Amino acid sequence: MKLSTRLVLLILGCLLPILTAQIYSQINLYRERHEQLGSLVLRQAELANADLASIIDGVHQLGTLAGQFPSVRASGEHCTERLTGLRQSLVQYRFLALFSPIDGSLVCASDGTPAGFSGTRLSWVADLLNTSDLAVGQLVSDSTQKSRFLPIAVHIPGVGAGDQPRVLVAALNTDWLEKHLETAKVDRAPAMSHAALIIADRDGNIVGRVPDPADWAGRTVPEWLRPLINRENQGVESVVDPDGHTIIAAHVPNAVPPTGLTVINALVLPDLTADIDQATYQDLLVIGGAAVIALILAWVAGRRFIYQPTEALLQAARKWREGDLSARASLTDAGSEFAALAQSFNAMAAGLQAREMERRMQSSFLESQVAERTRELSESNNRLQVEIAGREKTEAALHQAQKLQAVGQLAGGIAHDFNNMLATVLGNLELMERRVSQAGDDWATADTDRLLRLIERATGAVTRGGQLTSRLLAFSRRQRLAARPTDINALLQELITLATSTLGRRVQVMPELADDLWPAMVDPSQVEAAILNLCLNARDAMPEGGRLSIHTMNLMIEPGSSRHASDNELSPGGYVQVCISDTGFGMSADVKARAFDPFFTTKGPSAGSGLGLSQVYGMARQSGGSVVIESTPNEGTRVTLSLPRAMTGEGADTPPAEERSELPVRTMQNELILVVDDDHAVRQVTVEMARDLGCEVAQASGGEQALALVDKLSPPPKLILLDYAMPGMNGLQLARALRERGVKAPIALVTGYAELSEADIAAGQLAGLLRKPFTIRELQGLLTQLRTVADTAASCLEPGLADR
């Protein structure tokens, strides 16, 4: 490309940004003028909407004021006179009417009410009676007076127990509204003189229009403007009318308060933008002429002051590129910038050799710096790999904990629903047992015995189902634990003695119990069941026999210690460890990763439920400890159970043994109890059990129904049984609501959900707790206990009785 061509391109490149900036400025100016028009239109619509909101708020205040007058609440002629006085002082309202929202009847009305209005059930009135606060209706035409009004309803709540709520309907006169909008028009700029302001109801009927209100009142909004009514947010849009004119329409839809009314402010665009388009066209012509003149002048000056000096410098540069460093650039114009540039190039050629030597020295220095930096990066990378390995181990442990937590929540929910079904089945079985036992001579003895055996088998199956849900709750850490200081060594010695025959002669039990073992703060029965599960798993892993070792030891974890960092599940403190190891076939990595998952088992279909290790994990975590599995295939497995140490002074009372009778008798003669349960089957079987025990029973399916029923019962119930997990209001919330209403009867919670703390029971002022599934004997014991509490005027259950 020749230098002259480059010069032309350079000039064009210099002028192009200027031209682009000028054109961009004109386009922005054009756009800003259009946006200003849109802002003016939207501002007018917003002002009109705010004015409507103030009018609607005035109706709300009028309803509040009217509700304070005793004459209005008493209805009758005094109510009519009061409404007439209010209407005459407020000229914007056509009439005021008071309705009953219960049956839709007209209570009273002011003057100006349309003829034939009373006693007629009008559709627009029915739409407004369901409001709980304030509602704007649709435009109504009065054919008798050839006028229109906009009904606005205000809900007036009842004050006293016998006072009924009312709905005040204020009929806003549309003629007054149109005059008000015309006089209240704030923005009177010349650009807004042609704007059309439209107020429409939710059905698109025009309530008012400024200007020309008479020609538009009562008509519907044109189809090309109707989509603006249902917009979610206010804004400005460009639409085209049937004549092809572009309209700027600002809209405040009915979804924006005041709800039910739409404000549209429309302005024809071509009439307003003609002057703007003409001015923009003239500016562009001036910019184009100036650009042509600037291009010619730049070309002449460029040839003289840029092209010729540059060509001389290029000739010298070609010689330097060929290696002739003695060549020099000479210019005739000694005082120009190019002359100074030539002098600099000449000095540069003289210093090239010296700089080449300096470059070589710097290159050698940089190579040594790069080698040193490479060594440092290698060391940093090694440290980073170690940190990544540690982080991956921590993330794997966190992922396992999150997985078990999610499965535990699912298992707890399943156990809760399963307990409800088991409660229904068990209750009906016991009721059948009582009916069969009381059949008398109508049944043969053989038939009775056969039915009792069948019922006994079904009851046993339900009991095993209850044990299964108990294990699920133990895994999900929702089983209540009776924790107390426990001698683990003594528990193990007794367990080993009892389990020797179960483990078999091929298994050699080798206990190594620490003499100075601390007491553990655990539930002994749960720990015993967990250790027995581990021993049975070890036996199954050694079908040909082997050694089963049981070790106990103390463990103290200090804050910041390496042991604490390696086991994130254990907090700093003291722990009692029980290690059970076997010489069986061990576990693979995949089996070990899923060992604590509920229902996961490597045994046959009938050899286990897959809940043993899940129960161990849930008990350990709920007790505040942990369980760790170490296993190598074909070598054996070691399970370490860490239990929290019991500190001095800690303890828990042992719950007393439950006494059972052979057959419950009717001990609650004619005492009224209230049963609340959302599960119909569970509620019905509980009611039947209570009636078999001699009680009169009232029942409810939820909290709101129970509260309403308690207010109606006379005399009030002597005892109350509440289900815990109910939609809306749970059992604890219902118990607190009953106490707040002054109900003093003892309240017991019946639940299949185990995640209840002593604080929850105390907050609900509960006198008892019954776990699903329950027998009729357990229900009888609870009712007897509640009657005792009622007799002694106690407000909460004594310690240890909550686990019945």
Side-chain angles (χ1 to χ4, degrees), residues 621-662:
R621 295 299 296 146
Q622 188 175 3
S623 299
S626 69
V627 58
V628 178
I629 297 178
E630 302 170 89
S631 184
T632 303
N634 301 321
E635 293 186 8
T637 301
R638 176 187 177 94
V639 180
T640 302
L641 188 63
S642 300
L643 304 173
R645 176 186 181 184
M647 306 305 294
T648 304
E650 290 184 338
D653 295 335
T654 303
E658 184 176 326
E659 296 181 1
R660 297 177 180 267
S661 60
E662 286 299 322

mmCIF file of all heavy atoms in Angstrom, residues 621-662:
data_model
loop_
_atom_site.group_PDB
_atom_site.id
_atom_site.type_symbol
_atom_site.label_atom_id
_atom_site.label_comp_id
_atom_site.label_asym_id
_atom_site.label_seq_id
_atom_site.Cartn_x
_atom_site.Cartn_y
_atom_site.Cartn_z
ATOM 1 N N ARG A 621 -24.619 -40.972 67.147
ATOM 2 C CA ARG A 621 -24.657 -39.553 66.818
ATOM 3 C C ARG A 621 -25.620 -38.805 67.725
ATOM 4 O O ARG A 621 -25.341 -37.693 68.145
ATOM 5 C CB ARG A 621 -25.073 -39.369 65.355
ATOM 6 C CG ARG A 621 -24.079 -39.923 64.360
ATOM 7 C CD ARG A 621 -22.708 -39.243 64.473
ATOM 8 N NE ARG A 621 -22.808 -37.849 64.144
ATOM 9 C CZ ARG A 621 -22.087 -36.896 64.696
ATOM 10 N NH1 ARG A 621 -21.217 -37.193 65.640
ATOM 11 N NH2 ARG A 621 -22.223 -35.635 64.340
ATOM 12 N N GLN A 622 -26.790 -39.417 68.054
ATOM 13 C CA GLN A 622 -27.742 -38.745 68.921
ATOM 14 C C GLN A 622 -27.202 -38.623 70.342
ATOM 15 O O GLN A 622 -27.516 -37.676 71.052
ATOM 16 C CB GLN A 622 -29.073 -39.491 68.910
ATOM 17 C CG GLN A 622 -30.200 -38.748 69.640
ATOM 18 C CD GLN A 622 -31.525 -39.442 69.500
ATOM 19 O OE1 GLN A 622 -31.612 -40.506 68.904
ATOM 20 N NE2 GLN A 622 -32.570 -38.854 70.055
ATOM 21 N N SER A 623 -26.367 -39.585 70.763
ATOM 22 C CA SER A 623 -25.778 -39.525 72.098
ATOM 23 C C SER A 623 -24.643 -38.518 72.183
ATOM 24 O O SER A 623 -24.188 -38.203 73.281
ATOM 25 C CB SER A 623 -25.264 -40.917 72.510
ATOM 26 O OG SER A 623 -26.335 -41.839 72.541
ATOM 27 N N GLY A 624 -24.172 -37.997 71.045
ATOM 28 C CA GLY A 624 -23.067 -37.055 71.046
ATOM 29 C C GLY A 624 -21.729 -37.692 70.745
ATOM 30 O O GLY A 624 -20.689 -37.076 70.986
ATOM 31 N N GLY A 625 -21.733 -38.907 70.218
ATOM 32 C CA GLY A 625 -20.484 -39.589 69.895
ATOM 33 C C GLY A 625 -20.385 -39.904 68.421
ATOM 34 O O GLY A 625 -20.947 -39.187 67.581
ATOM 35 N N SER A 626 -19.672 -40.981 68.078
ATOM 36 C CA SER A 626 -19.507 -41.357 66.681
ATOM 37 C C SER A 626 -19.215 -42.851 66.597
ATOM 38 O O SER A 626 -18.955 -43.504 67.609
ATOM 39 C CB SER A 626 -18.358 -40.566 66.030
ATOM 40 O OG SER A 626 -17.111 -40.983 66.572
ATOM 41 N N VAL A 627 -19.261 -43.374 65.376
ATOM 42 C CA VAL A 627 -18.910 -44.762 65.121
ATOM 43 C C VAL A 627 -18.086 -44.796 63.842
ATOM 44 O O VAL A 627 -18.415 -44.128 62.869
ATOM 45 C CB VAL A 627 -20.178 -45.651 65.010
ATOM 46 C CG1 VAL A 627 -21.104 -45.160 63.909
ATOM 47 C CG2 VAL A 627 -19.793 -47.098 64.769
ATOM 48 N N VAL A 628 -16.979 -45.528 63.864
ATOM 49 C CA VAL A 628 -16.039 -45.585 62.747
ATOM 50 C C VAL A 628 -15.796 -47.053 62.409
ATOM 51 O O VAL A 628 -15.621 -47.893 63.305
ATOM 52 C CB VAL A 628 -14.707 -44.887 63.092
ATOM 53 C CG1 VAL A 628 -13.721 -45.008 61.935
ATOM 54 C CG2 VAL A 628 -14.953 -43.427 63.433
ATOM 55 N N ILE A 629 -15.792 -47.369 61.108
ATOM 56 C CA ILE A 629 -15.540 -48.729 60.629
ATOM 57 C C ILE A 629 -14.191 -48.766 59.924
ATOM 58 O O ILE A 629 -13.921 -47.939 59.057
ATOM 59 C CB ILE A 629 -16.650 -49.192 59.671
ATOM 60 C CG1 ILE A 629 -17.995 -49.245 60.399
ATOM 61 C CG2 ILE A 629 -16.317 -50.550 59.082
ATOM 62 C CD1 ILE A 629 -19.141 -49.646 59.500
ATOM 63 N N GLU A 630 -13.357 -49.734 60.319
ATOM 64 C CA GLU A 630 -12.100 -49.999 59.636
ATOM 65 C C GLU A 630 -12.127 -51.470 59.210
ATOM 66 O O GLU A 630 -12.349 -52.352 60.041
ATOM 67 C CB GLU A 630 -10.903 -49.746 60.556
ATOM 68 C CG GLU A 630 -10.849 -48.317 61.098
ATOM 69 C CD GLU A 630 -9.801 -48.160 62.178
ATOM 70 O OE1 GLU A 630 -8.640 -47.864 61.834
ATOM 71 O OE2 GLU A 630 -10.158 -48.367 63.355
ATOM 72 N N SER A 631 -11.955 -51.723 57.913
ATOM 73 C CA SER A 631 -12.089 -53.087 57.434
ATOM 74 C C SER A 631 -11.154 -53.339 56.270
ATOM 75 O O SER A 631 -10.914 -52.446 55.449
ATOM 76 C CB SER A 631 -13.547 -53.357 57.009
ATOM 77 O OG SER A 631 -13.716 -54.703 56.615
ATOM 78 N N THR A 632 -10.613 -54.546 56.237
ATOM 79 C CA THR A 632 -9.772 -54.999 55.134
ATOM 80 C C THR A 632 -10.325 -56.331 54.645
ATOM 81 O O THR A 632 -10.531 -57.248 55.452
ATOM 82 C CB THR A 632 -8.315 -55.177 55.589
ATOM 83 O OG1 THR A 632 -7.845 -53.941 56.124
ATOM 84 C CG2 THR A 632 -7.438 -55.606 54.423
ATOM 85 N N PRO A 633 -10.583 -56.493 53.347
ATOM 86 C CA PRO A 633 -11.133 -57.759 52.844
ATOM 87 C C PRO A 633 -10.246 -58.940 53.219
ATOM 88 O O PRO A 633 -9.013 -58.865 53.150
ATOM 89 C CB PRO A 633 -11.197 -57.536 51.329
ATOM 90 C CG PRO A 633 -11.297 -56.046 51.163
ATOM 91 C CD PRO A 633 -10.490 -55.466 52.279
ATOM 92 N N ASN A 634 -10.911 -60.011 53.679
ATOM 93 C CA ASN A 634 -10.259 -61.276 54.037
ATOM 94 C C ASN A 634 -9.380 -61.181 55.282
ATOM 95 O O ASN A 634 -8.663 -62.138 55.598
ATOM 96 C CB ASN A 634 -9.417 -61.823 52.870
ATOM 97 C CG ASN A 634 -10.258 -62.059 51.624
ATOM 98 O OD1 ASN A 634 -11.392 -62.504 51.721
ATOM 99 N ND2 ASN A 634 -9.700 -61.741 50.460
ATOM 100 N N GLU A 635 -9.401 -60.065 55.972
ATOM 101 C CA GLU A 635 -8.614 -59.931 57.203
ATOM 102 C C GLU A 635 -9.486 -59.649 58.425
ATOM 103 O O GLU A 635 -9.148 -60.054 59.527
ATOM 104 C CB GLU A 635 -7.575 -58.823 57.052
ATOM 105 C CG GLU A 635 -6.481 -59.140 56.032
ATOM 106 C CD GLU A 635 -5.388 -58.077 56.019
ATOM 107 O OE1 GLU A 635 -5.422 -57.185 56.901
ATOM 108 O OE2 GLU A 635 -4.525 -58.126 55.118
ATOM 109 N N GLY A 636 -10.588 -58.928 58.267
ATOM 110 C CA GLY A 636 -11.454 -58.658 59.402
ATOM 111 C C GLY A 636 -11.944 -57.219 59.408
ATOM 112 O O GLY A 636 -11.600 -56.397 58.552
ATOM 113 N N THR A 637 -12.754 -56.940 60.423
ATOM 114 C CA THR A 637 -13.383 -55.626 60.559
ATOM 115 C C THR A 637 -13.239 -55.161 62.001
ATOM 116 O O THR A 637 -13.338 -55.959 62.948
ATOM 117 C CB THR A 637 -14.878 -55.683 60.178
ATOM 118 O OG1 THR A 637 -14.986 -56.130 58.831
ATOM 119 C CG2 THR A 637 -15.542 -54.320 60.302
ATOM 120 N N ARG A 638 -13.043 -53.854 62.152
ATOM 121 C CA ARG A 638 -12.946 -53.247 63.478
ATOM 122 C C ARG A 638 -13.917 -52.063 63.517
ATOM 123 O O ARG A 638 -13.830 -51.159 62.693
ATOM 124 C CB ARG A 638 -11.515 -52.764 63.747
ATOM 125 C CG ARG A 638 -11.339 -52.019 65.074
ATOM 126 C CD ARG A 638 -9.925 -51.451 65.150
ATOM 127 N NE ARG A 638 -9.711 -50.664 66.349
ATOM 128 C CZ ARG A 638 -9.197 -51.124 67.484
ATOM 129 N NH1 ARG A 638 -8.845 -52.405 67.546
ATOM 130 N NH2 ARG A 638 -9.030 -50.349 68.533
ATOM 131 N N VAL A 639 -14.844 -52.099 64.466
ATOM 132 C CA VAL A 639 -15.831 -51.034 64.651
ATOM 133 C C VAL A 639 -15.543 -50.360 65.986
ATOM 134 O O VAL A 639 -15.524 -51.029 67.033
ATOM 135 C CB VAL A 639 -17.270 -51.573 64.618
ATOM 136 C CG1 VAL A 639 -18.263 -50.426 64.808
ATOM 137 C CG2 VAL A 639 -17.540 -52.306 63.316
ATOM 138 N N THR A 640 -15.306 -49.034 65.934
ATOM 139 C CA THR A 640 -14.989 -48.265 67.146
ATOM 140 C C THR A 640 -16.172 -47.365 67.460
ATOM 141 O O THR A 640 -16.546 -46.495 66.661
ATOM 142 C CB THR A 640 -13.726 -47.416 66.950
ATOM 143 O OG1 THR A 640 -12.644 -48.288 66.605
ATOM 144 C CG2 THR A 640 -13.388 -46.665 68.223
ATOM 145 N N LEU A 641 -16.761 -47.596 68.641
ATOM 146 C CA LEU A 641 -17.911 -46.822 69.096
ATOM 147 C C LEU A 641 -17.426 -45.843 70.161
ATOM 148 O O LEU A 641 -16.907 -46.260 71.205
ATOM 149 C CB LEU A 641 -18.971 -47.775 69.660
ATOM 150 C CG LEU A 641 -20.336 -47.195 70.022
ATOM 151 C CD1 LEU A 641 -21.024 -46.653 68.804
ATOM 152 C CD2 LEU A 641 -21.201 -48.272 70.674
ATOM 153 N N SER A 642 -17.540 -44.526 69.903
ATOM 154 C CA SER A 642 -17.112 -43.487 70.848
ATOM 155 C C SER A 642 -18.345 -42.882 71.491
ATOM 156 O O SER A 642 -19.227 -42.354 70.800
ATOM 157 C CB SER A 642 -16.307 -42.403 70.115
ATOM 158 O OG SER A 642 -15.153 -42.955 69.512
ATOM 159 N N LEU A 643 -18.414 -42.964 72.838
ATOM 160 C CA LEU A 643 -19.562 -42.485 73.594
ATOM 161 C C LEU A 643 -19.128 -41.367 74.527
ATOM 162 O O LEU A 643 -18.036 -41.419 75.097
ATOM 163 C CB LEU A 643 -20.186 -43.628 74.397
ATOM 164 C CG LEU A 643 -20.603 -44.852 73.566
ATOM 165 C CD1 LEU A 643 -21.054 -45.969 74.486
ATOM 166 C CD2 LEU A 643 -21.699 -44.486 72.584
ATOM 167 N N PRO A 644 -19.965 -40.339 74.734
ATOM 168 C CA PRO A 644 -19.541 -39.203 75.569
ATOM 169 C C PRO A 644 -19.379 -39.613 77.035
ATOM 170 O O PRO A 644 -20.140 -40.421 77.561
ATOM 171 C CB PRO A 644 -20.674 -38.189 75.382
ATOM 172 C CG PRO A 644 -21.864 -39.002 74.999
ATOM 173 C CD PRO A 644 -21.330 -40.146 74.201
ATOM 174 N N ARG A 645 -18.381 -39.037 77.650
ATOM 175 C CA ARG A 645 -18.111 -39.307 79.065
ATOM 176 C C ARG A 645 -19.147 -38.612 79.935
ATOM 177 O O ARG A 645 -19.547 -37.480 79.665
ATOM 178 C CB ARG A 645 -16.707 -38.797 79.421
ATOM 179 C CG ARG A 645 -16.349 -38.926 80.895
ATOM 180 C CD ARG A 645 -15.013 -38.255 81.179
ATOM 181 N NE ARG A 645 -14.620 -38.370 82.572
ATOM 182 C CZ ARG A 645 -13.530 -37.815 83.108
ATOM 183 N NH1 ARG A 645 -12.723 -37.093 82.324
ATOM 184 N NH2 ARG A 645 -13.255 -37.959 84.380
ATOM 185 N N ALA A 646 -19.602 -39.289 80.996
ATOM 186 C CA ALA A 646 -20.549 -38.704 81.945
ATOM 187 C C ALA A 646 -19.781 -37.901 82.969
ATOM 188 O O ALA A 646 -18.875 -38.411 83.624
ATOM 189 C CB ALA A 646 -21.374 -39.803 82.622
ATOM 190 N N MET A 647 -20.129 -36.617 83.104
ATOM 191 C CA MET A 647 -19.465 -35.766 84.083
ATOM 192 C C MET A 647 -20.121 -35.941 85.447
ATOM 193 O O MET A 647 -21.228 -36.471 85.586
ATOM 194 C CB MET A 647 -19.542 -34.296 83.639
ATOM 195 C CG MET A 647 -19.011 -34.059 82.237
ATOM 196 S SD MET A 647 -17.319 -34.651 81.997
ATOM 197 C CE MET A 647 -16.461 -33.530 83.109
ATOM 198 N N THR A 648 -19.473 -35.481 86.470
ATOM 199 C CA THR A 648 -19.961 -35.611 87.839
ATOM 200 C C THR A 648 -21.259 -34.834 87.983
ATOM 201 O O THR A 648 -21.357 -33.671 87.601
ATOM 202 C CB THR A 648 -18.916 -35.070 88.829
ATOM 203 O OG1 THR A 648 -17.694 -35.768 88.617
ATOM 204 C CG2 THR A 648 -19.403 -35.262 90.253
ATOM 205 N N GLY A 649 -22.257 -35.482 88.564
ATOM 206 C CA GLY A 649 -23.529 -34.821 88.816
ATOM 207 C C GLY A 649 -24.568 -35.069 87.750
ATOM 208 O O GLY A 649 -25.731 -34.746 87.916
ATOM 209 N N GLU A 650 -24.162 -35.651 86.591
ATOM 210 C CA GLU A 650 -25.130 -35.927 85.538
ATOM 211 C C GLU A 650 -25.860 -37.240 85.833
ATOM 212 O O GLU A 650 -25.298 -38.153 86.434
ATOM 213 C CB GLU A 650 -24.452 -36.025 84.169
ATOM 214 C CG GLU A 650 -23.940 -34.689 83.664
ATOM 215 C CD GLU A 650 -23.363 -34.819 82.279
ATOM 216 O OE1 GLU A 650 -22.988 -35.950 81.920
ATOM 217 O OE2 GLU A 650 -23.293 -33.807 81.580
ATOM 218 N N GLY A 651 -27.061 -37.355 85.373
ATOM 219 C CA GLY A 651 -27.799 -38.593 85.567
ATOM 220 C C GLY A 651 -29.216 -38.471 85.080
ATOM 221 O O GLY A 651 -29.705 -37.400 84.786
ATOM 222 N N ALA A 652 -29.867 -39.571 85.006
ATOM 223 C CA ALA A 652 -31.264 -39.604 84.584
ATOM 224 C C ALA A 652 -31.973 -40.709 85.335
ATOM 225 O O ALA A 652 -31.422 -41.776 85.572
ATOM 226 C CB ALA A 652 -31.373 -39.838 83.076
ATOM 227 N N ASP A 653 -33.165 -40.416 85.741
ATOM 228 C CA ASP A 653 -33.931 -41.419 86.467
ATOM 229 C C ASP A 653 -34.330 -42.551 85.533
ATOM 230 O O ASP A 653 -34.618 -42.356 84.358
ATOM 231 C CB ASP A 653 -35.191 -40.790 87.060
ATOM 232 C CG ASP A 653 -34.830 -39.755 88.111
ATOM 233 O OD1 ASP A 653 -33.734 -39.882 88.689
ATOM 234 O OD2 ASP A 653 -35.633 -38.826 88.315
ATOM 235 N N THR A 654 -34.357 -43.746 86.078
ATOM 236 C CA THR A 654 -34.789 -44.912 85.302
ATOM 237 C C THR A 654 -36.304 -44.937 85.266
ATOM 238 O O THR A 654 -36.954 -44.849 86.303
ATOM 239 C CB THR A 654 -34.264 -46.203 85.947
ATOM 240 O OG1 THR A 654 -32.854 -46.125 86.039
ATOM 241 C CG2 THR A 654 -34.688 -47.410 85.136
ATOM 242 N N PRO A 655 -36.905 -45.017 84.081
ATOM 243 C CA PRO A 655 -38.372 -45.032 84.035
ATOM 244 C C PRO A 655 -38.927 -46.276 84.695
ATOM 245 O O PRO A 655 -38.379 -47.366 84.547
ATOM 246 C CB PRO A 655 -38.676 -45.009 82.528
ATOM 247 C CG PRO A 655 -37.428 -45.513 81.878
ATOM 248 C CD PRO A 655 -36.300 -45.146 82.764
ATOM 249 N N PRO A 656 -39.969 -46.133 85.447
ATOM 250 C CA PRO A 656 -40.542 -47.289 86.145
ATOM 251 C C PRO A 656 -41.148 -48.269 85.168
ATOM 252 O O PRO A 656 -41.559 -47.917 84.069
ATOM 253 C CB PRO A 656 -41.622 -46.657 87.029
ATOM 254 C CG PRO A 656 -41.990 -45.395 86.337
ATOM 255 C CD PRO A 656 -40.752 -44.907 85.681
ATOM 256 N N ALA A 657 -41.161 -49.539 85.582
ATOM 257 C CA ALA A 657 -41.731 -50.593 84.740
ATOM 258 C C ALA A 657 -43.225 -50.385 84.602
ATOM 259 O O ALA A 657 -43.906 -49.941 85.516
ATOM 260 C CB ALA A 657 -41.435 -51.960 85.346
ATOM 261 N N GLU A 658 -43.723 -50.682 83.425
ATOM 262 C CA GLU A 658 -45.132 -50.483 83.154
ATOM 263 C C GLU A 658 -45.928 -51.679 83.623
ATOM 264 O O GLU A 658 -45.589 -52.813 83.334
ATOM 265 C CB GLU A 658 -45.335 -50.262 81.644
ATOM 266 C CG GLU A 658 -46.757 -49.961 81.290
ATOM 267 C CD GLU A 658 -46.857 -49.670 79.810
ATOM 268 O OE1 GLU A 658 -45.921 -49.097 79.265
ATOM 269 O OE2 GLU A 658 -47.895 -50.025 79.214
ATOM 270 N N GLU A 659 -46.964 -51.411 84.377
ATOM 271 C CA GLU A 659 -47.809 -52.470 84.877
ATOM 272 C C GLU A 659 -48.945 -52.707 83.888
ATOM 273 O O GLU A 659 -49.542 -51.787 83.367
ATOM 274 C CB GLU A 659 -48.389 -52.077 86.236
ATOM 275 C CG GLU A 659 -47.293 -51.907 87.312
ATOM 276 C CD GLU A 659 -47.908 -51.546 88.635
ATOM 277 O OE1 GLU A 659 -49.151 -51.461 88.691
ATOM 278 O OE2 GLU A 659 -47.167 -51.361 89.600
ATOM 279 N N ARG A 660 -49.237 -53.956 83.603
ATOM 280 C CA ARG A 660 -50.286 -54.308 82.652
ATOM 281 C C ARG A 660 -51.270 -55.272 83.333
ATOM 282 O O ARG A 660 -50.867 -56.133 84.107
ATOM 283 C CB ARG A 660 -49.719 -54.977 81.394
ATOM 284 C CG ARG A 660 -48.812 -54.085 80.602
ATOM 285 C CD ARG A 660 -48.233 -54.828 79.411
ATOM 286 N NE ARG A 660 -47.361 -53.992 78.641
ATOM 287 C CZ ARG A 660 -47.738 -53.282 77.600
ATOM 288 N NH1 ARG A 660 -48.997 -53.297 77.252
ATOM 289 N NH2 ARG A 660 -46.871 -52.550 76.924
ATOM 290 N N SER A 661 -52.489 -55.146 83.002
ATOM 291 C CA SER A 661 -53.509 -56.087 83.466
ATOM 292 C C SER A 661 -53.880 -56.990 82.316
ATOM 293 O O SER A 661 -53.611 -56.698 81.158
ATOM 294 C CB SER A 661 -54.734 -55.317 83.970
ATOM 295 O OG SER A 661 -55.267 -54.532 82.939
ATOM 296 N N GLU A 662 -54.488 -58.094 82.625
ATOM 297 C CA GLU A 662 -54.820 -59.054 81.590
ATOM 298 C C GLU A 662 -55.832 -58.473 80.615
ATOM 299 O O GLU A 662 -55.737 -58.644 79.427
ATOM 300 C CB GLU A 662 -55.384 -60.332 82.241
ATOM 301 C CG GLU A 662 -54.342 -61.175 82.916
ATOM 302 C CD GLU A 662 -53.286 -61.658 81.946
ATOM 303 O OE1 GLU A 662 -53.630 -61.990 80.794
ATOM 304 O OE2 GLU A 662 -52.109 -61.687 82.335
#
